[in-house]
């Protein structure tokens, strides 16, 4: 009977270890991702450009508690959609635009005529046989 208790404890420890691995590698990262998506959907504002889960790209023109109205295309067609139908925000109205720094031009310093040393080049003429 003593040997059975050891294998029973070992099996329970392995089972707990498998559940812990599932939690840390699968469940916890998914909950974190769901929380960030929910925060994104709760922070939608008028003027944000969004992409829906169906692939429709548009600009938010009105927000309500559970729905938003997006404007799409050149004809400015408006759709009312549920907030959960938004897949991602491509650009926000209030986001500060990042100014691209122009690459600095490297300009050589001008040399005075007195500072320039004459360069003597040694020309090796080919010898004729």
């Amino acid at each position: 009977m003593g040997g059975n208790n050891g294998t029973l404890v070992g099996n329970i420890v392995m089972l707990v270890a498998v559940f812990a691995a599932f939690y840390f590698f699968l469940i916890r990262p998914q909950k974190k991702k769901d929380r960030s998506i929910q925060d994104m959907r709760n922070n939608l504002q008028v003027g944000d450009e969004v992409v829906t889960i169906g692939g429709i790209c548009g600009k938010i023109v009105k927000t309500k508690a559970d729905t938003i109205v997006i404007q799409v295309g050149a004809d400015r067609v408006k759709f009312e959609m549920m907030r959960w139908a938004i897949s991602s925000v491509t650009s926000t109205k209030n986001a500060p635009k990042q100014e691209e720094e122009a690459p600095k031009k490297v300009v050589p310093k001008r040399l005075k005529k007195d500072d320039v040393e004459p360069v003597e080049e040694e020309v090796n003429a080919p010898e004729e046989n």
Side-chain angles (χ1 to χ4, degrees), residues 8 63 123:
L8 180 63
T63 60
V123 178

Side-chain angles (χ1 to χ4, degrees), residues 111-122:
L111 299 175
K112 295 179 184 177
K113 289 182 180 177
D114 298 335
D115 292 342
V116 178
E117 295 179 12
V119 178
E120 294 180 17
E121 293 185 21
E122 198 173 295

Side-chain angles (χ1 to χ4, degrees), residues 12-66:
I12 291 174
V13 168
M14 286 299 292
L15 189 62
V16 169
V18 168
F19 280 122
F22 271 110
Y23 178 77
F24 284 110
F25 291 117
L26 297 175
I27 297 170
R28 195 166 156 226
Q30 185 63 38
K31 282 185 179 180
K32 188 175 182 180
K33 183 178 177 184
D34 291 344
R35 194 172 340 159
S36 68
I37 290 172
Q38 188 63 33
D39 289 343
M40 179 265 306
R41 289 178 180 156
N42 288 337
N43 294 326
L44 293 174
Q45 297 176 353
V46 174
D48 290 352
E49 293 182 14
V50 295
V51 178
T52 67
I53 56 175
I56 299 172
C57 301
K59 189 176 201 177
I60 298 177
V61 292
K62 188 175 182 181
T63 60
K64 297 179 184 176
D66 291 333

Side-chain angles (χ1 to χ4, degrees), residues 60-102:
I60 298 177
V61 292
K62 188 175 182 181
T63 60
K64 297 179 184 176
D66 291 333
T67 62
I68 59 167
V69 177
I70 65 170
Q71 180 177 334
V72 212
D75 295 335
R76 298 182 181 201
V77 177
K78 294 179 182 176
F79 291 110
E80 185 171 359
M81 309 185 112
M82 301 299 290
R83 283 185 182 261
W84 58 261
I86 300 301
S87 171
S88 64
V89 177
T90 56
S91 67
T92 60
K93 177 183 176 185
N94 297 333
K97 293 184 179 178
Q98 297 177 354
E99 296 180 15
E100 295 181 14
E101 293 182 16

